[in-house]
Amino acid sequence: GEAVLYAAATLFEFQMKRTRRWFFKAVAVALTADLPRRARAQAHSEIRVGSIAFRLGLPDAVTRAIVAHSPLPPAQRKYSHAGIVAATGRHVIHALPRVGVHVSTIDEFVAESRDVAFLLPPPSARALAIANAAASMLGAPFDDDLRLSESDALYCTELVACALKKTGVLVDPRLLRVPFFDEPVIHPDTLFLDLLAAGFQSAMRNSSIERPD
């Protein structure tokens, strides 16, 4: 009898240990599987209405040309495009060639990038007004000639500069002369630095999505 009881107790203990191992393994798997969703939720929570969105686009000819004309040293060149987080907090308003000023979800904006960053407006800025100013320009055609003197068409950084100017945010973006264009332009790299100097603060930079050219 004692041998049978001992064997039963040993088997019971073995089963309990195996059950505990299975339970903790299942919990670990569940938490790990949930990491991408929770990371996206955290990223969205760090992005506020009126934030300025920057990205380094996928390695196509347009992105390469924009990066090549950045006035910064090659190691410091980061961005090729910019937009503004809309009043929903889940969309970005930006200007693209052949599309004009339109709206994308933040996930769509990120999907077309190798690196992204968001700058929060300073406390004195009216963030919702910045988002609404950008929304008022939806549907405008893309400015293929990159002319700041013309307001009926817009390119990406011009859209950002116009929205900030409409809401009284004092940013004096540096202008850059580039070949084949009559007027100086606002480059995403220098706009990023000018916004930081004007009191904007970094909300999120996702370098984990960087891919080689």
PDB file of all heavy atoms in Angstrom, residues 47-48 50-56 79-86 91-94 105-106 109-110 115-121 130 156-157 160 188 191-192 195 200 204:
ATOM      1  N   ILE A  47       1.916  60.007 -30.099  1.00  0.00           N
ATOM      2  CA  ILE A  47       1.727  60.947 -31.191  1.00  0.00           C
ATOM      3  C   ILE A  47       0.479  61.783 -30.903  1.00  0.00           C
ATOM      4  O   ILE A  47      -0.584  61.237 -30.632  1.00  0.00           O
ATOM      5  CB  ILE A  47       1.574  60.205 -32.531  1.00  0.00           C
ATOM      6  CG1 ILE A  47       2.817  59.365 -32.801  1.00  0.00           C
ATOM      7  CG2 ILE A  47       1.343  61.187 -33.660  1.00  0.00           C
ATOM      8  CD1 ILE A  47       2.659  58.399 -33.947  1.00  0.00           C
ATOM      9  N   ARG A  48       0.621  63.085 -30.966  1.00  0.00           N
ATOM     10  CA  ARG A  48      -0.484  63.972 -30.639  1.00  0.00           C
ATOM     11  C   ARG A  48      -0.954  64.735 -31.870  1.00  0.00           C
ATOM     12  O   ARG A  48      -0.230  64.892 -32.841  1.00  0.00           O
ATOM     13  CB  ARG A  48      -0.054  64.965 -29.554  1.00  0.00           C
ATOM     14  CG  ARG A  48       0.403  64.316 -28.263  1.00  0.00           C
ATOM     15  CD  ARG A  48       0.852  65.371 -27.281  1.00  0.00           C
ATOM     16  NE  ARG A  48       1.577  64.786 -26.164  1.00  0.00           N
ATOM     17  CZ  ARG A  48       2.259  65.499 -25.267  1.00  0.00           C
ATOM     18  NH1 ARG A  48       2.298  66.811 -25.362  1.00  0.00           N
ATOM     19  NH2 ARG A  48       2.906  64.892 -24.287  1.00  0.00           N
ATOM     20  N   GLY A  50      -1.602  67.600 -34.332  1.00  0.00           N
ATOM     21  CA  GLY A  50      -0.763  68.744 -34.671  1.00  0.00           C
ATOM     22  C   GLY A  50       0.719  68.459 -34.674  1.00  0.00           C
ATOM     23  O   GLY A  50       1.518  69.357 -34.972  1.00  0.00           O
ATOM     24  N   SER A  51       1.118  67.219 -34.359  1.00  0.00           N
ATOM     25  CA  SER A  51       2.535  66.860 -34.429  1.00  0.00           C
ATOM     26  C   SER A  51       3.005  66.909 -35.879  1.00  0.00           C
ATOM     27  O   SER A  51       2.234  66.682 -36.809  1.00  0.00           O
ATOM     28  CB  SER A  51       2.774  65.458 -33.861  1.00  0.00           C
ATOM     29  OG  SER A  51       2.454  65.406 -32.494  1.00  0.00           O
ATOM     30  N   ILE A  52       4.281  67.215 -36.060  1.00  0.00           N
ATOM     31  CA  ILE A  52       4.858  67.218 -37.396  1.00  0.00           C
ATOM     32  C   ILE A  52       5.517  65.865 -37.638  1.00  0.00           C
ATOM     33  O   ILE A  52       6.358  65.419 -36.856  1.00  0.00           O
ATOM     34  CB  ILE A  52       5.896  68.347 -37.567  1.00  0.00           C
ATOM     35  CG1 ILE A  52       5.318  69.681 -37.051  1.00  0.00           C
ATOM     36  CG2 ILE A  52       6.308  68.462 -39.031  1.00  0.00           C
ATOM     37  CD1 ILE A  52       4.035  70.112 -37.717  1.00  0.00           C
ATOM     38  N   ALA A  53       5.097  65.196 -38.701  1.00  0.00           N
ATOM     39  CA  ALA A  53       5.575  63.849 -39.012  1.00  0.00           C
ATOM     40  C   ALA A  53       6.676  63.926 -40.067  1.00  0.00           C
ATOM     41  O   ALA A  53       6.542  64.636 -41.067  1.00  0.00           O
ATOM     42  CB  ALA A  53       4.421  62.989 -39.523  1.00  0.00           C
ATOM     43  N   PHE A  54       7.752  63.203 -39.828  1.00  0.00           N
ATOM     44  CA  PHE A  54       8.858  63.113 -40.786  1.00  0.00           C
ATOM     45  C   PHE A  54       9.115  61.648 -41.106  1.00  0.00           C
ATOM     46  O   PHE A  54       8.932  60.781 -40.255  1.00  0.00           O
ATOM     47  CB  PHE A  54      10.144  63.723 -40.204  1.00  0.00           C
ATOM     48  CG  PHE A  54      10.116  65.216 -40.067  1.00  0.00           C
ATOM     49  CD1 PHE A  54       9.563  65.800 -38.938  1.00  0.00           C
ATOM     50  CD2 PHE A  54      10.634  66.026 -41.060  1.00  0.00           C
ATOM     51  CE1 PHE A  54       9.530  67.182 -38.808  1.00  0.00           C
ATOM     52  CE2 PHE A  54      10.612  67.408 -40.936  1.00  0.00           C
ATOM     53  CZ  PHE A  54      10.055  67.991 -39.798  1.00  0.00           C
ATOM     54  N   ARG A  55       9.546  61.406 -42.323  1.00  0.00           N
ATOM     55  CA  ARG A  55       9.937  60.041 -42.664  1.00  0.00           C
ATOM     56  C   ARG A  55      11.038  60.050 -43.716  1.00  0.00           C
ATOM     57  O   ARG A  55      11.193  61.009 -44.477  1.00  0.00           O
ATOM     58  CB  ARG A  55       8.743  59.237 -43.169  1.00  0.00           C
ATOM     59  CG  ARG A  55       8.341  59.494 -44.622  1.00  0.00           C
ATOM     60  CD  ARG A  55       7.128  58.677 -45.026  1.00  0.00           C
ATOM     61  NE  ARG A  55       6.730  58.908 -46.404  1.00  0.00           N
ATOM     62  CZ  ARG A  55       5.554  58.556 -46.915  1.00  0.00           C
ATOM     63  NH1 ARG A  55       4.658  57.967 -46.140  1.00  0.00           N
ATOM     64  NH2 ARG A  55       5.271  58.796 -48.178  1.00  0.00           N
ATOM     65  N   LEU A  56      11.807  58.978 -43.691  1.00  0.00           N
ATOM     66  CA  LEU A  56      12.733  58.663 -44.773  1.00  0.00           C
ATOM     67  C   LEU A  56      12.027  57.648 -45.645  1.00  0.00           C
ATOM     68  O   LEU A  56      11.734  56.530 -45.207  1.00  0.00           O
ATOM     69  CB  LEU A  56      14.042  58.088 -44.221  1.00  0.00           C
ATOM     70  CG  LEU A  56      15.040  57.574 -45.262  1.00  0.00           C
ATOM     71  CD1 LEU A  56      15.497  58.691 -46.184  1.00  0.00           C
ATOM     72  CD2 LEU A  56      16.234  56.913 -44.582  1.00  0.00           C
ATOM     73  N   TYR A  79      15.776  62.597 -43.400  1.00  0.00           N
ATOM     74  CA  TYR A  79      14.378  62.604 -43.833  1.00  0.00           C
ATOM     75  C   TYR A  79      14.204  63.131 -45.260  1.00  0.00           C
ATOM     76  O   TYR A  79      14.974  63.956 -45.734  1.00  0.00           O
ATOM     77  CB  TYR A  79      13.540  63.429 -42.862  1.00  0.00           C
ATOM     78  CG  TYR A  79      13.686  62.931 -41.439  1.00  0.00           C
ATOM     79  CD1 TYR A  79      14.272  63.717 -40.449  1.00  0.00           C
ATOM     80  CD2 TYR A  79      13.280  61.636 -41.101  1.00  0.00           C
ATOM     81  CE1 TYR A  79      14.437  63.233 -39.155  1.00  0.00           C
ATOM     82  CE2 TYR A  79      13.449  61.148 -39.815  1.00  0.00           C
ATOM     83  CZ  TYR A  79      14.031  61.954 -38.849  1.00  0.00           C
ATOM     84  OH  TYR A  79      14.207  61.465 -37.575  1.00  0.00           O
ATOM     85  N   SER A  80      13.152  62.619 -45.897  1.00  0.00           N
ATOM     86  CA  SER A  80      12.847  63.020 -47.268  1.00  0.00           C
ATOM     87  C   SER A  80      11.412  63.513 -47.427  1.00  0.00           C
ATOM     88  O   SER A  80      11.022  63.907 -48.526  1.00  0.00           O
ATOM     89  CB  SER A  80      13.074  61.829 -48.212  1.00  0.00           C
ATOM     90  OG  SER A  80      12.202  60.749 -47.875  1.00  0.00           O
ATOM     91  N   HIS A  81      10.634  63.508 -46.343  1.00  0.00           N
ATOM     92  CA  HIS A  81       9.212  63.843 -46.470  1.00  0.00           C
ATOM     93  C   HIS A  81       8.679  64.310 -45.114  1.00  0.00           C
ATOM     94  O   HIS A  81       9.224  63.945 -44.061  1.00  0.00           O
ATOM     95  CB  HIS A  81       8.434  62.609 -46.939  1.00  0.00           C
ATOM     96  CG  HIS A  81       6.996  62.865 -47.272  1.00  0.00           C
ATOM     97  ND1 HIS A  81       6.601  63.776 -48.231  1.00  0.00           N
ATOM     98  CD2 HIS A  81       5.854  62.341 -46.760  1.00  0.00           C
ATOM     99  CE1 HIS A  81       5.270  63.781 -48.298  1.00  0.00           C
ATOM    100  NE2 HIS A  81       4.809  62.923 -47.414  1.00  0.00           N
ATOM    101  N   ALA A  82       7.609  65.121 -45.148  1.00  0.00           N
ATOM    102  CA  ALA A  82       7.017  65.629 -43.910  1.00  0.00           C
ATOM    103  C   ALA A  82       5.515  65.826 -44.080  1.00  0.00           C
ATOM    104  O   ALA A  82       5.010  65.980 -45.193  1.00  0.00           O
ATOM    105  CB  ALA A  82       7.676  66.954 -43.509  1.00  0.00           C
ATOM    106  N   GLY A  83       4.811  65.799 -42.946  1.00  0.00           N
ATOM    107  CA  GLY A  83       3.371  66.032 -42.933  1.00  0.00           C
ATOM    108  C   GLY A  83       2.938  66.446 -41.534  1.00  0.00           C
ATOM    109  O   GLY A  83       3.774  66.694 -40.657  1.00  0.00           O
ATOM    110  N   ILE A  84       1.629  66.493 -41.324  1.00  0.00           N
ATOM    111  CA  ILE A  84       1.068  66.947 -40.046  1.00  0.00           C
ATOM    112  C   ILE A  84       0.016  65.951 -39.571  1.00  0.00           C
ATOM    113  O   ILE A  84      -0.842  65.524 -40.359  1.00  0.00           O
ATOM    114  CB  ILE A  84       0.452  68.348 -40.181  1.00  0.00           C
ATOM    115  CG1 ILE A  84       1.542  69.379 -40.486  1.00  0.00           C
ATOM    116  CG2 ILE A  84      -0.305  68.749 -38.911  1.00  0.00           C
ATOM    117  CD1 ILE A  84       1.019  70.788 -40.710  1.00  0.00           C
ATOM    118  N   VAL A  85       0.071  65.586 -38.284  1.00  0.00           N
ATOM    119  CA  VAL A  85      -0.923  64.670 -37.717  1.00  0.00           C
ATOM    120  C   VAL A  85      -2.264  65.383 -37.635  1.00  0.00           C
ATOM    121  O   VAL A  85      -2.373  66.490 -37.083  1.00  0.00           O
ATOM    122  CB  VAL A  85      -0.481  64.172 -36.326  1.00  0.00           C
ATOM    123  CG1 VAL A  85      -1.560  63.295 -35.714  1.00  0.00           C
ATOM    124  CG2 VAL A  85       0.834  63.410 -36.433  1.00  0.00           C
ATOM    125  N   ALA A  86      -3.290  64.754 -38.195  1.00  0.00           N
ATOM    126  CA  ALA A  86      -4.622  65.359 -38.297  1.00  0.00           C
ATOM    127  C   ALA A  86      -5.337  65.385 -36.947  1.00  0.00           C
ATOM    128  O   ALA A  86      -4.867  64.825 -35.950  1.00  0.00           O
ATOM    129  CB  ALA A  86      -5.454  64.589 -39.314  1.00  0.00           C
ATOM    130  N   HIS A  91      -4.238  60.014 -38.261  1.00  0.00           N
ATOM    131  CA  HIS A  91      -3.972  60.240 -39.685  1.00  0.00           C
ATOM    132  C   HIS A  91      -2.908  61.312 -39.853  1.00  0.00           C
ATOM    133  O   HIS A  91      -2.693  62.131 -38.953  1.00  0.00           O
ATOM    134  CB  HIS A  91      -5.256  60.663 -40.418  1.00  0.00           C
ATOM    135  CG  HIS A  91      -6.343  59.638 -40.376  1.00  0.00           C
ATOM    136  ND1 HIS A  91      -7.185  59.489 -39.298  1.00  0.00           N
ATOM    137  CD2 HIS A  91      -6.702  58.692 -41.290  1.00  0.00           C
ATOM    138  CE1 HIS A  91      -8.033  58.491 -39.543  1.00  0.00           C
ATOM    139  NE2 HIS A  91      -7.751  57.990 -40.734  1.00  0.00           N
ATOM    140  N   VAL A  92      -2.275  61.295 -41.035  1.00  0.00           N
ATOM    141  CA  VAL A  92      -1.277  62.304 -41.388  1.00  0.00           C
ATOM    142  C   VAL A  92      -1.733  62.987 -42.673  1.00  0.00           C
ATOM    143  O   VAL A  92      -2.102  62.317 -43.650  1.00  0.00           O
ATOM    144  CB  VAL A  92       0.109  61.669 -41.587  1.00  0.00           C
ATOM    145  CG1 VAL A  92       1.118  62.724 -42.061  1.00  0.00           C
ATOM    146  CG2 VAL A  92       0.602  61.037 -40.297  1.00  0.00           C
ATOM    147  N   ILE A  93      -1.724  64.318 -42.676  1.00  0.00           N
ATOM    148  CA  ILE A  93      -2.017  65.101 -43.869  1.00  0.00           C
ATOM    149  C   ILE A  93      -0.684  65.475 -44.504  1.00  0.00           C
ATOM    150  O   ILE A  93       0.189  66.059 -43.846  1.00  0.00           O
ATOM    151  CB  ILE A  93      -2.820  66.369 -43.515  1.00  0.00           C
ATOM    152  CG1 ILE A  93      -4.158  65.975 -42.868  1.00  0.00           C
ATOM    153  CG2 ILE A  93      -3.062  67.225 -44.754  1.00  0.00           C
ATOM    154  CD1 ILE A  93      -4.914  67.131 -42.260  1.00  0.00           C
ATOM    155  N   HIS A  94      -0.500  65.127 -45.770  1.00  0.00           N
ATOM    156  CA  HIS A  94       0.773  65.396 -46.433  1.00  0.00           C
ATOM    157  C   HIS A  94       0.570  65.538 -47.933  1.00  0.00           C
ATOM    158  O   HIS A  94      -0.479  65.175 -48.472  1.00  0.00           O
ATOM    159  CB  HIS A  94       1.803  64.304 -46.114  1.00  0.00           C
ATOM    160  CG  HIS A  94       1.379  62.911 -46.417  1.00  0.00           C
ATOM    161  ND1 HIS A  94       2.207  61.975 -46.988  1.00  0.00           N
ATOM    162  CD2 HIS A  94       0.196  62.252 -46.222  1.00  0.00           C
ATOM    163  CE1 HIS A  94       1.579  60.826 -47.133  1.00  0.00           C
ATOM    164  NE2 HIS A  94       0.366  60.974 -46.675  1.00  0.00           N
ATOM    165  N   THR A 105      -3.512  57.104 -43.093  1.00  0.00           N
ATOM    166  CA  THR A 105      -3.427  56.688 -41.694  1.00  0.00           C
ATOM    167  C   THR A 105      -1.958  56.723 -41.272  1.00  0.00           C
ATOM    168  O   THR A 105      -1.055  56.669 -42.109  1.00  0.00           O
ATOM    169  CB  THR A 105      -3.977  55.267 -41.490  1.00  0.00           C
ATOM    170  OG1 THR A 105      -3.125  54.339 -42.170  1.00  0.00           O
ATOM    171  CG2 THR A 105      -5.412  55.146 -42.011  1.00  0.00           C
ATOM    172  N   ILE A 106      -1.729  56.819 -39.978  1.00  0.00           N
ATOM    173  CA  ILE A 106      -0.346  56.811 -39.489  1.00  0.00           C
ATOM    174  C   ILE A 106       0.339  55.506 -39.886  1.00  0.00           C
ATOM    175  O   ILE A 106       1.511  55.498 -40.268  1.00  0.00           O
ATOM    176  CB  ILE A 106      -0.316  57.029 -37.967  1.00  0.00           C
ATOM    177  CG1 ILE A 106      -0.671  58.487 -37.646  1.00  0.00           C
ATOM    178  CG2 ILE A 106       1.054  56.679 -37.388  1.00  0.00           C
ATOM    179  CD1 ILE A 106      -0.733  58.807 -36.162  1.00  0.00           C
ATOM    180  N   PHE A 109       1.424  55.802 -43.407  1.00  0.00           N
ATOM    181  CA  PHE A 109       2.554  56.724 -43.489  1.00  0.00           C
ATOM    182  C   PHE A 109       3.845  56.009 -43.095  1.00  0.00           C
ATOM    183  O   PHE A 109       4.867  56.140 -43.757  1.00  0.00           O
ATOM    184  CB  PHE A 109       2.297  57.920 -42.565  1.00  0.00           C
ATOM    185  CG  PHE A 109       3.317  59.020 -42.665  1.00  0.00           C
ATOM    186  CD1 PHE A 109       3.202  60.024 -43.609  1.00  0.00           C
ATOM    187  CD2 PHE A 109       4.398  59.067 -41.780  1.00  0.00           C
ATOM    188  CE1 PHE A 109       4.130  61.056 -43.695  1.00  0.00           C
ATOM    189  CE2 PHE A 109       5.340  60.086 -41.856  1.00  0.00           C
ATOM    190  CZ  PHE A 109       5.208  61.076 -42.814  1.00  0.00           C
ATOM    191  N   VAL A 110       3.771  55.230 -42.023  1.00  0.00           N
ATOM    192  CA  VAL A 110       4.949  54.502 -41.545  1.00  0.00           C
ATOM    193  C   VAL A 110       5.338  53.392 -42.509  1.00  0.00           C
ATOM    194  O   VAL A 110       6.527  53.124 -42.728  1.00  0.00           O
ATOM    195  CB  VAL A 110       4.686  53.940 -40.129  1.00  0.00           C
ATOM    196  CG1 VAL A 110       5.790  52.979 -39.706  1.00  0.00           C
ATOM    197  CG2 VAL A 110       4.549  55.077 -39.119  1.00  0.00           C
ATOM    198  N   ASP A 115      12.385  55.111 -41.867  1.00  0.00           N
ATOM    199  CA  ASP A 115      12.595  55.743 -40.569  1.00  0.00           C
ATOM    200  C   ASP A 115      11.534  56.822 -40.420  1.00  0.00           C
ATOM    201  O   ASP A 115      11.175  57.484 -41.404  1.00  0.00           O
ATOM    202  CB  ASP A 115      14.002  56.351 -40.476  1.00  0.00           C
ATOM    203  CG  ASP A 115      14.412  56.669 -39.044  1.00  0.00           C
ATOM    204  OD1 ASP A 115      13.628  56.376 -38.128  1.00  0.00           O
ATOM    205  OD2 ASP A 115      15.509  57.215 -38.858  1.00  0.00           O
ATOM    206  N   VAL A 116      11.005  56.990 -39.216  1.00  0.00           N
ATOM    207  CA  VAL A 116       9.999  58.024 -38.971  1.00  0.00           C
ATOM    208  C   VAL A 116      10.302  58.745 -37.664  1.00  0.00           C
ATOM    209  O   VAL A 116      10.950  58.203 -36.775  1.00  0.00           O
ATOM    210  CB  VAL A 116       8.566  57.442 -38.902  1.00  0.00           C
ATOM    211  CG1 VAL A 116       8.132  56.904 -40.240  1.00  0.00           C
ATOM    212  CG2 VAL A 116       8.462  56.385 -37.822  1.00  0.00           C
ATOM    213  N   ALA A 117       9.814  59.971 -37.562  1.00  0.00           N
ATOM    214  CA  ALA A 117       9.923  60.748 -36.329  1.00  0.00           C
ATOM    215  C   ALA A 117       8.740  61.693 -36.254  1.00  0.00           C
ATOM    216  O   ALA A 117       8.199  62.118 -37.286  1.00  0.00           O
ATOM    217  CB  ALA A 117      11.227  61.529 -36.285  1.00  0.00           C
ATOM    218  N   PHE A 118       8.312  62.010 -35.031  1.00  0.00           N
ATOM    219  CA  PHE A 118       7.217  62.950 -34.814  1.00  0.00           C
ATOM    220  C   PHE A 118       7.675  64.012 -33.827  1.00  0.00           C
ATOM    221  O   PHE A 118       8.237  63.691 -32.782  1.00  0.00           O
ATOM    222  CB  PHE A 118       5.976  62.226 -34.277  1.00  0.00           C
ATOM    223  CG  PHE A 118       5.376  61.256 -35.247  1.00  0.00           C
ATOM    224  CD1 PHE A 118       5.860  59.957 -35.345  1.00  0.00           C
ATOM    225  CD2 PHE A 118       4.333  61.634 -36.063  1.00  0.00           C
ATOM    226  CE1 PHE A 118       5.324  59.058 -36.251  1.00  0.00           C
ATOM    227  CE2 PHE A 118       3.779  60.745 -36.966  1.00  0.00           C
ATOM    228  CZ  PHE A 118       4.273  59.450 -37.067  1.00  0.00           C
ATOM    229  N   LEU A 119       7.432  65.276 -34.173  1.00  0.00           N
ATOM    230  CA  LEU A 119       7.773  66.398 -33.307  1.00  0.00           C
ATOM    231  C   LEU A 119       6.500  67.021 -32.750  1.00  0.00           C
ATOM    232  O   LEU A 119       5.595  67.398 -33.507  1.00  0.00           O
ATOM    233  CB  LEU A 119       8.578  67.454 -34.070  1.00  0.00           C
ATOM    234  CG  LEU A 119       9.968  67.040 -34.569  1.00  0.00           C
ATOM    235  CD1 LEU A 119      10.662  68.226 -35.240  1.00  0.00           C
ATOM    236  CD2 LEU A 119      10.823  66.513 -33.423  1.00  0.00           C
ATOM    237  N   LEU A 120       6.443  67.129 -31.427  1.00  0.00           N
ATOM    238  CA  LEU A 120       5.290  67.737 -30.760  1.00  0.00           C
ATOM    239  C   LEU A 120       5.416  69.255 -30.780  1.00  0.00           C
ATOM    240  O   LEU A 120       6.494  69.790 -30.526  1.00  0.00           O
ATOM    241  CB  LEU A 120       5.204  67.269 -29.312  1.00  0.00           C
ATOM    242  CG  LEU A 120       5.084  65.767 -29.055  1.00  0.00           C
ATOM    243  CD1 LEU A 120       5.119  65.510 -27.557  1.00  0.00           C
ATOM    244  CD2 LEU A 120       3.810  65.229 -29.659  1.00  0.00           C
ATOM    245  N   PRO A 121       4.315  69.970 -31.047  1.00  0.00           N
ATOM    246  CA  PRO A 121       4.369  71.433 -30.980  1.00  0.00           C
ATOM    247  C   PRO A 121       4.661  71.898 -29.555  1.00  0.00           C
ATOM    248  O   PRO A 121       4.337  71.200 -28.583  1.00  0.00           O
ATOM    249  CB  PRO A 121       2.960  71.860 -31.406  1.00  0.00           C
ATOM    250  CG  PRO A 121       2.369  70.681 -32.091  1.00  0.00           C
ATOM    251  CD  PRO A 121       2.997  69.479 -31.448  1.00  0.00           C
ATOM    252  N   ILE A 130      -3.186  73.859 -35.750  1.00  0.00           N
ATOM    253  CA  ILE A 130      -2.211  73.425 -36.751  1.00  0.00           C
ATOM    254  C   ILE A 130      -2.804  72.305 -37.606  1.00  0.00           C
ATOM    255  O   ILE A 130      -2.717  72.319 -38.837  1.00  0.00           O
ATOM    256  CB  ILE A 130      -0.911  72.956 -36.074  1.00  0.00           C
ATOM    257  CG1 ILE A 130      -0.223  74.126 -35.370  1.00  0.00           C
ATOM    258  CG2 ILE A 130       0.038  72.304 -37.087  1.00  0.00           C
ATOM    259  CD1 ILE A 130       0.973  73.713 -34.526  1.00  0.00           C
ATOM    260  N   CYS A 156       5.562  68.989 -49.794  1.00  0.00           N
ATOM    261  CA  CYS A 156       5.350  68.497 -48.423  1.00  0.00           C
ATOM    262  C   CYS A 156       5.768  69.485 -47.334  1.00  0.00           C
ATOM    263  O   CYS A 156       4.977  69.808 -46.434  1.00  0.00           O
ATOM    264  CB  CYS A 156       6.043  67.148 -48.225  1.00  0.00           C
ATOM    265  SG  CYS A 156       7.853  67.192 -48.291  1.00  0.00           S
ATOM    266  N   THR A 157       7.008  69.975 -47.397  1.00  0.00           N
ATOM    267  CA  THR A 157       7.460  70.887 -46.343  1.00  0.00           C
ATOM    268  C   THR A 157       6.803  72.261 -46.480  1.00  0.00           C
ATOM    269  O   THR A 157       6.663  72.985 -45.490  1.00  0.00           O
ATOM    270  CB  THR A 157       8.989  71.025 -46.383  1.00  0.00           C
ATOM    271  OG1 THR A 157       9.398  71.296 -47.731  1.00  0.00           O
ATOM    272  CG2 THR A 157       9.662  69.750 -45.900  1.00  0.00           C
ATOM    273  N   VAL A 160       3.650  72.075 -44.462  1.00  0.00           N
ATOM    274  CA  VAL A 160       3.913  72.230 -43.031  1.00  0.00           C
ATOM    275  C   VAL A 160       4.167  73.688 -42.693  1.00  0.00           C
ATOM    276  O   VAL A 160       3.596  74.239 -41.726  1.00  0.00           O
ATOM    277  CB  VAL A 160       5.118  71.360 -42.611  1.00  0.00           C
ATOM    278  CG1 VAL A 160       5.498  71.641 -41.158  1.00  0.00           C
ATOM    279  CG2 VAL A 160       4.811  69.891 -42.801  1.00  0.00           C
ATOM    280  N   PRO A 188      13.367  68.729 -45.854  1.00  0.00           N
ATOM    281  CA  PRO A 188      12.892  68.080 -44.613  1.00  0.00           C
ATOM    282  C   PRO A 188      13.934  68.041 -43.498  1.00  0.00           C
ATOM    283  O   PRO A 188      13.597  68.209 -42.324  1.00  0.00           O
ATOM    284  CB  PRO A 188      12.508  66.669 -45.082  1.00  0.00           C
ATOM    285  CG  PRO A 188      12.170  66.831 -46.526  1.00  0.00           C
ATOM    286  CD  PRO A 188      13.102  67.895 -47.040  1.00  0.00           C
ATOM    287  N   LEU A 191      14.183  71.519 -41.976  1.00  0.00           N
ATOM    288  CA  LEU A 191      12.936  71.842 -41.280  1.00  0.00           C
ATOM    289  C   LEU A 191      12.876  71.129 -39.938  1.00  0.00           C
ATOM    290  O   LEU A 191      12.453  71.721 -38.930  1.00  0.00           O
ATOM    291  CB  LEU A 191      11.734  71.437 -42.146  1.00  0.00           C
ATOM    292  CG  LEU A 191      10.362  71.702 -41.516  1.00  0.00           C
ATOM    293  CD1 LEU A 191      10.151  73.184 -41.233  1.00  0.00           C
ATOM    294  CD2 LEU A 191       9.242  71.163 -42.411  1.00  0.00           C
ATOM    295  N   PHE A 192      13.312  69.894 -39.902  1.00  0.00           N
ATOM    296  CA  PHE A 192      13.337  69.138 -38.647  1.00  0.00           C
ATOM    297  C   PHE A 192      14.178  69.869 -37.599  1.00  0.00           C
ATOM    298  O   PHE A 192      13.750  70.063 -36.456  1.00  0.00           O
ATOM    299  CB  PHE A 192      13.889  67.738 -38.903  1.00  0.00           C
ATOM    300  CG  PHE A 192      13.892  66.836 -37.702  1.00  0.00           C
ATOM    301  CD1 PHE A 192      12.778  66.074 -37.387  1.00  0.00           C
ATOM    302  CD2 PHE A 192      15.009  66.744 -36.881  1.00  0.00           C
ATOM    303  CE1 PHE A 192      12.772  65.233 -36.271  1.00  0.00           C
ATOM    304  CE2 PHE A 192      15.021  65.909 -35.775  1.00  0.00           C
ATOM    305  CZ  PHE A 192      13.896  65.160 -35.466  1.00  0.00           C
ATOM    306  N   LEU A 195      12.523  73.210 -36.455  1.00  0.00           N
ATOM    307  CA  LEU A 195      11.414  73.004 -35.520  1.00  0.00           C
ATOM    308  C   LEU A 195      11.933  72.696 -34.119  1.00  0.00           C
ATOM    309  O   LEU A 195      11.375  73.179 -33.118  1.00  0.00           O
ATOM    310  CB  LEU A 195      10.501  71.886 -36.016  1.00  0.00           C
ATOM    311  CG  LEU A 195       9.708  72.192 -37.291  1.00  0.00           C
ATOM    312  CD1 LEU A 195       8.882  70.984 -37.711  1.00  0.00           C
ATOM    313  CD2 LEU A 195       8.797  73.390 -37.096  1.00  0.00           C
ATOM    314  N   PHE A 200       9.837  72.697 -30.642  1.00  0.00           N
ATOM    315  CA  PHE A 200       9.174  71.410 -30.842  1.00  0.00           C
ATOM    316  C   PHE A 200      10.011  70.319 -30.161  1.00  0.00           C
ATOM    317  O   PHE A 200      11.228  70.424 -30.068  1.00  0.00           O
ATOM    318  CB  PHE A 200       9.025  71.104 -32.330  1.00  0.00           C
ATOM    319  CG  PHE A 200       7.932  71.879 -33.012  1.00  0.00           C
ATOM    320  CD1 PHE A 200       8.046  73.255 -33.201  1.00  0.00           C
ATOM    321  CD2 PHE A 200       6.790  71.244 -33.461  1.00  0.00           C
ATOM    322  CE1 PHE A 200       7.047  73.978 -33.830  1.00  0.00           C
ATOM    323  CE2 PHE A 200       5.777  71.957 -34.094  1.00  0.00           C
ATOM    324  CZ  PHE A 200       5.907  73.332 -34.275  1.00  0.00           C
ATOM    325  N   MET A 204       8.559  60.538 -30.893  1.00  0.00           N
ATOM    326  CA  MET A 204       8.899  59.150 -31.173  1.00  0.00           C
ATOM    327  C   MET A 204       9.788  59.123 -32.392  1.00  0.00           C
ATOM    328  O   MET A 204       9.588  59.863 -33.340  1.00  0.00           O
ATOM    329  CB  MET A 204       7.648  58.318 -31.465  1.00  0.00           C
ATOM    330  CG  MET A 204       7.929  56.835 -31.696  1.00  0.00           C
ATOM    331  SD  MET A 204       6.502  55.927 -32.312  1.00  0.00           S
ATOM    332  CE  MET A 204       6.459  56.454 -34.017  1.00  0.00           C
TER     333      MET A 204
END
